[in-house]
Amino acid sequence: MLESWLAPKAAALESRGLTRRLRARSAGDDLIDLAGNDYLGLSRDPRVVSAAAEALQTWGTGATASRLVTGTTALHEELESALAAYVGQESGLAFSSGYLANLGVVTALGGPGTVLVSDEHVHASLVDACRLSRSRVEVVPHNDVDAVQKVLAERNEPHALVMTESVFSVLSDEAPLASLAAVAQAHDAVLLVDEAHGLGVTGGGRGSVAAAGLAGLDHVIVTMTLSKSLASQGGAVLGPAVLREHLVNRARPFIYDTGLNPAACAAALAALQVLQAEPGRPDGIHRATAQLAAACNLPPPSGAVVSVPMPGPRETVQAADLCMSAGVRVGSFRPPSVPDGISRLRLTANAGLTSADLDRACTVVVDAIGRFT
């Protein structure tokens, strides 16, 4: 039954060059990594690894239950307080993934009395949250503040939530946060900013919300993942204490999910401490992206990603394969992962890349791109 059901769907993807396949990597491969999201190069830092190992010995291999049962440990609360303090928010709540953090806060605030105003380029987690929210959803053109203002001014709902990313995951451009926050405040709306690609990268590491002077405002919510700059796993929602209390009682992805692994909490906390002790690390990301972008004849991005347009999905995969065969791992993004339908090579810089790595990577990537453009 499943064969007859699913085979035509698989064939349709294959015919368009959109089939996705898992590729297991070995622990000791020596590829130059421009595909992962370890922005600060901390996933193998001895301080981070040791903190996770110590938490395993102390707390065991899992949280044991949901956060409201036995799944909250002292590590969870320490991490939440440290994250909130670092980015300038009053409080925080950790989830077991960044995806669930977005899903949890949007569905907990959504409903028939709330309109959701979503930038058309937001992450899939926010798209899915909108679908599950039971709210009216208005998708506005990318970074179009006037379109946001129009929706807010014409709404009938008493509540409104405007959603954006601080740095967008594919194009690596920044949202006009100050303007969005001002429009939201003028229309009694809340602004939700996903800092997945801003934390550890923009604002000296504290993210774009802090850089824009919006940290701690009572109508601004921050969500983030712990799996990029903080080299761990999990997510968090940061904002006023009243929001945290609401999520504890209303966010289904928090209430009914097993708590974040204590080892992941410890790793993220240790990575945050490294970032605080070494505030120059984000500069390494921007030096690397500037070099990669220049090699590809592109302007330097706001975030850690250099997004290289390609002629089509097949060419994107083939170019990525050429890079890998030459010792450089890059990302290949194809529909529906790209918001505008343009397939791209996605080059993700990290602060751990050496000058030799960058020089080699630029040579390999430029050669691969040249084969198809």
Side-chain angles (χ1 to χ4, degrees):
M1 178 179 176
L2 282 175
E3 178 67 23
S4 61
W5 179 3
L6 301 180
K9 297 179 183 292
L13 286 175
E14 188 67 32
S15 69
R16 297 160 57 200
L18 299 178
T19 301
R20 286 157 169 76
R21 294 180 173 89
L22 296 174
R23 288 187 174 183
R25 61 183 175 90
S26 63
D29 74 35
D30 57 357
L31 295 177
I32 299 171
D33 187 11
L34 296 183
N37 293 323
D38 184 19
Y39 292 159
L40 296 175
L42 294 175
S43 66
R44 292 183 178 274
D45 187 286
R47 294 164 290 186
V48 177
V49 174
S50 294
E54 183 179 346
L56 280 170
Q57 293 292 336
T58 302
W59 296 101
T61 57
T64 74
S66 68
R67 291 282 306 275
L68 287 168
V69 184
T70 60
T72 296
T73 69
L75 281 175
H76 290 85
E77 295 188 338
E78 184 179 0
L79 173 63
E80 291 164 346
S81 296
L83 286 172
Y86 183 66
V87 302
Q89 296 292 335
E90 184 179 4
S91 67
L93 188 67
F95 287 70
S96 57
S97 73
Y99 202 107
L100 291 181
N102 278 337
L103 205 64
V105 67
V106 174
T107 55
L109 293 175
T114 302
V115 62
L116 304 179
V117 188
S118 174
D119 187 287
E120 65 179 340
H121 285 195
V122 295
H123 189 262
S125 56
L126 288 172
V127 173
D128 288 350
C130 288
R131 292 170 177 170
L132 292 172
S133 68
R134 300 170 292 111
S135 291
R136 179 169 70 92
V137 179
E138 292 289 341
V139 179
V140 296
H142 182 49
N143 281 346
D144 190 332
V145 178
D146 290 339
V148 173
Q149 183 172 23
K150 185 174 187 296
V151 173
L152 294 178
E154 296 176 355
R155 79 181 196 265
N156 294 317
E157 295 87 349
H159 307 297
L161 182 66
V162 178
M163 295 177 295
T164 187
E165 297 181 38
S166 61
V167 177
F168 288 87
S169 59
V170 175
L171 300 185
S172 205
D173 56 331
E174 279 195 287
L177 294 184
S179 297
L180 288 172
V183 166
Q185 186 174 36
H187 293 278
D188 294 322
V190 171
L191 175 64
L192 184 154
V193 183
D194 184 344
E195 287 267 37
H197 301 273
L199 179 69
V201 179
T202 58
R206 297 180 187 274
S208 300
V209 171
L214 306 176
L217 298 183
D218 64 1
H219 73 295
V220 176
I221 298 170
V222 170
T223 65
M224 62 179 58
T225 178
L226 311 179
S227 62
K228 294 179 172 63
S229 287
L230 298 187
S232 183
Q233 191 168 2
V237 178
L238 307 168
V242 66
L243 173 66
R244 186 182 192 275
E245 183 70 18
H246 179 73
L247 295 178
V248 168
N249 286 278
R250 296 288 187 177
R252 293 172 65 85
F254 176 83
I255 296 169
Y256 297 105
D257 189 37
T258 297
L260 180 63
N261 190 311
C265 291
L269 186 59
L272 180 62
Q273 291 165 347
V274 172
L275 174 57
Q276 291 173 301
E278 301 174 7
R281 276 188 177 260
D283 294 337
I285 298 171
H286 297 293
R287 285 193 296 269
T289 54
Q291 183 174 341
L292 289 166
C296 299
N297 293 316
L298 294 169
S302 298
V305 172
V306 176
S307 184
V308 185
M310 296 294 289
R314 295 186 189 281
E315 294 88 347
T316 304
V317 173
Q318 291 166 2
D321 287 343
L322 283 175
C323 289
M324 181 169 286
S325 66
V328 179
R329 182 186 289 111
V330 302
S332 56
F333 274 37
R334 298 163 288 161
S337 298
V338 285
D340 54 5
I342 299 174
S343 296
R344 290 177 169 83
L345 288 184
R346 186 173 185 265
L347 316 178
T348 305
N350 73 73
L353 293 169
T354 66
S355 296
D357 286 342
L358 278 170
D359 291 343
R360 172 62 180 161
C362 287
T363 299
V364 168
V365 169
V366 169
D367 177 68
I369 294 170
R371 306 281 187 95
F372 300 99
T373 56

